[in-house]
Amino acid sequence: MHDHAILSLAYTADGKHLISGSADTQIRKWDLSTGQSVLKFIGHRDWVWSVATSPDGKSVVSGGRDNLIMHWNALNGQCLKVFKGHEKEVLSVCFAKDSRVIISGSSDKTIKIWECLSGTCLNTLKGHDNLVNAVQISPDGKKIASGGNDKTLKIW
């Protein structure tokens, strides 16, 4: 059980587990057959606003109030990479279909595209007039959708 509010959820690719991000700074992996927490991902220093699982089932990505994006091994909870580049909290994260690219949206009004293995920011998209609450990548990987507090939905 988390000690504070649960802020984000994501099913694993096989549908057997659920990942939760919380205001207690923790991420947990839950076994849906037992309802038990089977793994903790420890590393964020503040609220975890967003979690997502990779399509290949090997990774979890999280975005937090600490301005960080963390890439995790989904099987053992080890932090694989910390992505730094947003100036404010990270509100939304997702994986591309190939599991090699992460998209993030932030209170700094930007969307960033990251290469998973190196942690390199490949591009920064600017155009929102307020924080970016939601990001998603199209199934073919060619378009990114974002939504924000400026009440706009943008396709990039």
Side-chain angles (χ1 to χ4, degrees), residues 18-155:
L18 193 66
I19 306 295
S20 59
S22 172
D24 64 9
T25 76
Q26 294 180 17
I27 299 161
R28 290 182 180 253
K29 182 178 184 179
W30 302 88
D31 182 324
L32 294 177
S33 67
T34 66
Q36 297 299 309
S37 172
V38 294
L39 189 61
K40 285 184 192 179
F41 302 73
I42 305 293
H44 278 285
R45 298 184 309 267
D46 210 331
W47 296 5
V48 179
W49 281 118
S50 184
V51 293
T53 57
S54 62
D56 67 9
K58 296 178 182 177
S59 300
V60 171
V61 65
S62 58
R65 195 174 179 188
D66 53 9
N67 306 355
L68 301 176
I69 299 156
M70 301 185 87
H71 182 208
W72 308 88
N73 180 311
L75 301 177
N76 63 19
Q78 177 187 359
C79 182
L80 302 172
K81 186 73 65 180
V82 177
F83 303 75
K84 297 178 182 178
H86 281 294
E87 296 174 10
K88 294 187 179 180
E89 57 197 314
V90 180
L91 301 174
S92 184
V93 292
C94 70
F95 277 98
K97 185 178 178 180
D98 65 6
S99 301
R100 295 184 298 174
V101 172
I102 293 169
I103 311 297
S104 60
S106 169
S107 292
D108 65 11
K109 307 177 193 175
T110 68
I111 297 103
K112 291 188 180 283
I113 304 167
W114 306 88
E115 199 279 319
C116 285
L117 293 178
S118 69
T120 302
C121 181
L122 303 173
N123 199 359
T124 300
L125 305 174
K126 297 179 181 179
H128 281 281
D129 294 329
N130 207 320
L131 54 90
V132 180
N133 290 317
V135 293
Q136 195 56 253
I137 191 162
S138 64
D140 64 7
K142 294 180 180 179
K143 296 177 185 162
I144 295 170
S146 61
N149 270 20
D150 58 4
K151 304 174 190 156
T152 64
L153 172 67
K154 296 189 181 294
I155 306 296

